[in-house]
Each structure stands twice: as structure tokens, then as C-alpha cells.
Amino acid sequence: MEKTTAVIDLDLPGARISRHVYGHFAEHLGRCIYGGFYVGEDSDVPNERGIRLDVVEALRALNIPNLRWPGGCFADDYHWRDGIGPRDERPRMVNSHWGDVVEDNSFGTHEFMDLCELLGTEAYIAGNVGSGSVAEMSEWIEYLTRADDSPMAALRRANGRDEPWKVPYFGIGNEAWGCGGNLRVEQFASLARQYSTYVRNHAGNDVYRIAAGASDGDLHWTEVLMQSFDALDKPEESERPAGPFQAISLHYYTMTGPWADKGAATQFTEDEWYLALERARFMDHLLTRHGQVMDRYDPAKRVGLVVDEWGTWWNVEPGTNPGFLYQQNTLRDALVASVHFDAFHQHADRVVMANIAQTVNVLQAMLLTDPETGALVRTPSYHVFEMNTGHHDADSLDVHLQGVPTRAGEKAELPLVSASASTRGGTALVSLTNLDATAERTVVLDLRGREVTAHSGRVLSAPELATHNTPDAPDAVAPVALEAIRPHERGLEVTLPAHSYATVSLTLA
Ligand code: AHR
């Protein structure tokens, strides 16, 4: 069989891959916050101020750049003042989107900012447009970030926090076309301008405002939001637009069935393996199309595109609460992630942030915790995030693939190799995904422009497509050294096992 070749010009760096495309999302949903991140101070699970230390330790290895909270759909029901002050005096509310359970607000603003500090990550707060007020949003950013003795800063101090926090990212609503108010984009665009105006920069905290964007291929939503900017065509000193907001979002989930029966996480056929990966690759198409619309208004690419919800969405695990969105995570999920990252790297000139949904116990999670024993498991997806930390803030490199086998897909031919690369200083990192369910694949890395003085590789695979990690077998899917790397006259030759993800690290002269 003809080998696949990947031509990479190591001396031609492109756009910087923002580390923020490796962002995360934590919603008040199922066991993500409660039981996942937060167990309370009285729990037997080791914790610091109620936050699980094993979760913090595991996530620290991922260098999480930002964490989005409190939703999702929950964000547009959330009133931040309910989540401050003495915990036993906080009002309760109904979490109507997720299980119709009563939320006691014991995890609120202070607990979230505490979590960010423990994780060493930046806060991305999602503000309430759907059922909140402009004043409420304005006061939240004042509470969080103001230094002097303003009313909200004084209230924060009364609740035990003297210093203002930094909040670099603030979402203006969530899914405004659906759970965030069922708005028409024309109406939301006006509201986004208005709400953004009052998310003010206090005490040197420069907020990057992200307006709730489109679902999937809704280009009209993106187009109307792009028309909200006043002067994108006029040269400005700043690289980002002054206002009303600086970025728009996009949500896209991977599933193999219709909404009512999205497919099972662990029980799937080979055809469903390929269908999931084809639908994951659709992210590249979406970024191209939304990017084209944005380019018409903003050819200098100053408005950011933020994919603040992405990942697999399967049927919940049998016997679990349908409103809690708890699902297993297999090798297939890992490759869905690696294919997404290739797309984010390739669109690094427009995609400034992305947030996997969601970090713990919900949808395509990094970590699963056992509700009975508390045991923590790193998922296959976790390992892709860890293997890719070398791409954070590195400069993208084009990868020109030749001789890639394909398979007939639902929309088009599905290429069975996906790749991306980046460079930083004297190093480069190449990502290679072999989507083929049954056949290994040899890839020649045709490395041009700089001398490679050393190399090493890691590979993530498993015997079965649906292999996953459990408390009894926590490392059933875990990266190991990739031995099958050989020198080649054009650079290196790498053999990828069937259904695998690999990274090749290069040291450059
Ligand atoms: O991530 C789960 C939900 O998916 C979010 O709350 C919502 O924004 C989206 O529909």
C-alpha cells in the first residue's frame, strides 16, 4: 500500500495556536460541580475548602488555560447574588434544565474563583442575558474585579475577599437562540451590544466579551452578530475590536444519531466509529464557513471565534439520571478530540478559544468520579489534552498530507489520517491520528527547512474501539512510548497502529 506523506516546512510558522483552545467548561449540571469539583468541606474525600484535591491535581497536568462557568443553559437562569454570603443562608433555586433538581447555591462566585486559583487557570464567566438584567451583569463584574470601596467591592470584602480577582473572559449569554431566551438573532444582537457595554473594565481588568453565537451551521446568526460591530474596517491601534464585544461563539456537538437517540458511548458499530469521526471532522468545515462570513466583515481577523462548547454527546449511561448527562468515554472520544484539535490548530488565525463540554462527569469529560467510592478515573480524552500541551501558544505549521486513504462517508470521502503541527523555539510537535478502525498506517514525515537533531513519540490506542478506563482498569487507554519511528531519507517514518493517536516531538537545530 502507498505510504502517506506529511510534508512540513519547519521554518514557516503560521498563526499562533492560542493555549485557550484547550479551555474547559464546568456547568451546574449533574455531578460536574457537586461531586465532581466540589464535595464540601465536611466530605471524606480529601479537599481544600470543599474542592476535590485529586481532581485539581489531575487537571493541573493539563495546564488548563481557562474554565467557563456556571453554564451553559444554567447560566441564563443563574442569579449570582444567590451564590454569595454564608452558605447556609443562600437562597435555593430549581435547576430546571438539568434534572429539575434543587440547587442550594453552595458553590458560587467565591468557590469558583477559589477553584480557578487552585487550578492555576483563568476565569471565563458566562453572564445571564436570558433572565437577568443589565444591572445584575454590571454589578457582577464590579463585584469580581473592582479594587476601591465601590458598593460591590465593599460587598465582596464583607464576604471575605479583600483583593479583586482577575476575570479576563466574560460571556454575554449562552445559546440565545435556544435555552438562553429563544431569541431571534436581530433581537439578541441588540441585547449583546447593550449588555456588553455594562461589562466594564475595572481596576485594570481588561475584559474580553464573548457574545453567544451560532449553533452548528447557522451562518445567519454569525452574519448578524458581525454586523453589530461599528468600525471593523477602520484601522485601530488595538488588535481586538474596542466593542461592543470582542468575540462571538459557536457550539457544535458530535453524536451519531438524532437528538432523541444520540448513540451509545460504549456500544457502537464500526460504521458508527467512522460516522462519529466524520462528524467530528465537520468542525473543520464549520470553522471554514463561519470564518468566511466573519472575513467579509473583518478581513483582519480581529474578532475572535470561540468554540465554547464542543465534544461528544451520547445517550446517558443506563441507570443514570437522564438530566445529568453522564456518559462513558472511550478511545473513540479521544480521537474525536484529536481531530477537533487539528481543526482548531489549522484555524488558529480565527479560533481564539475553545471549551470542551464538560470537565468532570458530564458529556465528554476529562475525569469521571464514582459516586459511591469517590474513585477518580482519567478518560481517554484526558490523555489527548495532556499529549497536546506542547501545542499551547506554539506557532502552527501547515501539514500537507499526500496519499491519504479514504472511506465513503455520509457526506463525502472521509480521509483516514488527520494531522497538525506546531513549533516553539527549538522544538516542534506533530499530531497524527489514524482513523482507520482496522489497519495500521505508515506516515513519512517529510521535514523541511530545519534540521531535526532528536525525536521521540507517544501513542494512544487500545485493543478495542470502545476500550475505556474504569476504577478497576484505570490505564486501559493511556499513552505509551511510540517505538515505531525510524529515520527516513526525507525525515522520519512513523507507523501508527490502527485506531490511534500519536504525537511526535522534534528537537530542532
Ligand atoms: O453542555 C450541555 C448543554 O449543551 C449546555 O448547557 C448548553 O449550552 C448546550 O445546549
Side-chain angles (χ1 to χ4, degrees):
M1 188 191 279
E2 185 200 355
K3 287 177 186 165
T4 296
T5 301
V7 180
I8 306 174
D9 291 299
L10 296 165
D11 58 339
L12 295 178
R16 174 94 15 119
I17 296 168
S18 170
R19 68 183 183 284
H20 289 288
V21 300
Y22 288 88
H24 289 259
F25 172 33
E27 181 166 14
H28 287 238
L29 195 178
R31 295 188 299 111
C32 182
I33 296 294
Y34 300 111
F37 278 112
Y38 190 74
V39 286
E41 287 157 350
D42 299 332
S43 171
D44 290 340
V45 177
N47 68 82
E48 191 165 324
R49 296 186 295 281
I51 295 167
R52 281 186 74 136
L53 286 173
D54 54 354
V55 166
V56 168
E57 187 204 345
L59 294 176
R60 272 183 162 270
L62 302 186
N63 293 339
I64 288 185
N66 71 80
L67 184 62
R68 177 176 185 246
W69 173 84
C73 294
F74 183 79
D76 282 295
D77 269 339
Y78 185 65
H79 300 285
W80 68 269
R81 278 172 184 264
D82 294 349
I84 57 172
R87 284 198 201 105
D88 53 2
E89 292 173 20
R90 294 182 189 175
R92 293 169 174 244
M93 64 178 284
V94 174
N95 189 337
S96 45
H97 289 289
W98 307 121
D100 205 31
V101 293
V102 174
E103 158 73 54
D104 69 2
N105 279 306
S106 54
F107 188 92
T109 297
H110 290 249
E111 289 78 13
F112 173 67
M113 297 308 295
D114 216 6
L115 171 63
C116 289
E117 283 180 356
L118 284 175
L119 290 171
T121 197
E122 294 188 301
Y124 172 9
I125 300 265
N128 180 346
V129 171
S131 70
S133 70
V134 176
E136 183 182 13
M137 191 180 283
S138 177
E139 287 176 347
W140 200 5
I141 195 75
E142 180 187 327
Y143 184 92
L144 283 156
T145 61
R146 190 142 180 115
D148 60 11
D149 60 351
S150 79
M152 289 302 111
L155 181 59
R156 184 190 68 236
R157 277 197 201 95
N159 286 327
R161 170 78 187 195
D162 189 20
E163 291 297 308
W165 290 287
K166 289 286 181 203
V167 177
Y169 303 102
F170 203 98
I172 311 298
N174 169 73
E175 297 196 350
W177 38 265
C179 64
N182 280 310
L183 303 175
R184 306 263 184 242
V185 62
E186 291 75 11
Q187 185 188 2
F188 175 70
S190 296
L191 289 176
R193 284 177 62 98
Q194 182 188 3
Y195 276 70
S196 297
T197 304
Y198 293 90
V199 177
R200 296 204 161 103
N201 294 338
H202 297 283
N205 181 72
D206 196 8
V207 189
Y208 191 76
R209 300 164 195 81
I210 301 157
S215 169
D216 304 359
D218 184 353
L219 301 180
H220 177 66
W221 190 280
T222 294
E223 177 121 36
V224 174
L225 283 188
M226 289 305 293
Q227 290 163 353
S228 305
F229 290 91
D230 292 324
L232 283 174
D233 54 341
K234 304 219 175 75
E236 262 189 40
E237 299 230 330
S238 160
E239 275 185 15
R240 7 162 118 170
F245 35 86
Q246 287 71 46
I248 61 177
S249 68
L250 170 69
H251 289 183
Y252 172 68
Y253 284 97
T254 299
M255 48 192 88
T256 52
W259 186 252
D261 181 13
K262 303 175 184 70
T266 58
Q267 307 290 321
F268 54 86
T269 63
E270 198 172 287
D271 281 348
E272 287 170 320
W273 160 273
Y274 286 115
L275 184 57
L277 292 170
E278 181 181 1
R279 290 185 175 178
R281 279 187 67 97
F282 193 65
M283 176 56 79
D284 176 67
H285 172 79
L286 290 176
L287 298 178
T288 300
R289 296 305 310 277
H290 285 280
Q292 284 166 343
V293 172
M294 295 175 79
D295 285 351
R296 286 210 291 274
Y297 297 89
D298 175 32
K301 300 187 193 294
R302 288 162 54 218
V303 178
L305 183 58
V306 171
V307 187
D308 55 16
E309 287 186 31
W310 68 272
T312 54
W313 193 328
W314 309 125
N315 298 336
V316 298
E317 287 304 306
T320 64
N321 187 325
F324 283 9
L325 309 188
Y326 176 78
Q327 65 188 41
Q328 255 302 346
N329 190 299
T330 70
L331 181 68
R332 180 175 64 162
D333 296 78
L335 268 59
V336 165
S338 66
V339 161
H340 273 80
F341 285 126
D342 288 340
F344 297 151
H345 299 165
Q346 284 151 10
H347 292 271
D349 56 354
R350 181 65 86 179
V351 179
V352 297
M353 184 190 288
N355 302 73
I356 182 89
Q358 300 190 5
T359 324
V360 193
N361 291 332
V362 169
L363 299 177
Q364 191 174 351
M366 302 295 102
L367 303 172
L368 300 178
T369 66
D370 188 302
E372 307 298 327
T373 65
L376 175 128
V377 161
R378 290 162 174 76
T379 65
S381 301
Y382 171 97
H383 293 300
V384 174
F385 277 72
E386 187 276 320
M387 291 167 77
N388 276 14
T389 50
H391 288 302
H392 292 200
D393 287 338
D395 295 330
S396 59
L397 293 168
D398 284 342
V399 180
H400 305 279
L401 286 171
Q402 298 157 359
V404 175
T406 62
R407 182 183 192 274
E410 67 168 345
K411 290 216 166 99
E413 287 292 305
L414 172 66
L416 295 179
V417 176
S418 177
S420 62
S422 68
T423 184
R424 187 195 298 123
T427 63
L429 185 66
V430 182
S431 287
L432 298 163
T433 306
N434 181 10
L435 284 59
D436 200 310
T438 54
E440 66 176 30
R441 187 82 203 152
T442 295
V443 179
V444 173
L445 298 181
D446 185 340
L447 303 169
R448 303 179 182 182
R450 290 181 73 175
E451 188 191 343
V452 176
T453 56
H455 64 264
S456 63
R458 298 170 78 199
V459 63
L460 186 74
S461 191
E464 307 293 335
L465 303 179
T467 306
H468 52 279
N469 296 332
T470 63
D472 290 336
D475 297 320
V477 189
V480 295
L482 176 64
E483 306 293 350
I485 311 182
R486 299 167 293 278
H488 184 278
E489 59 187 5
R490 290 159 71 182
L492 294 168
E493 187 176 83
V494 180
T495 299
L496 305 169
H499 51 262
S500 67
Y501 174 62
T503 51
V504 179
S505 303
L506 307 173
T507 305
L508 309 176

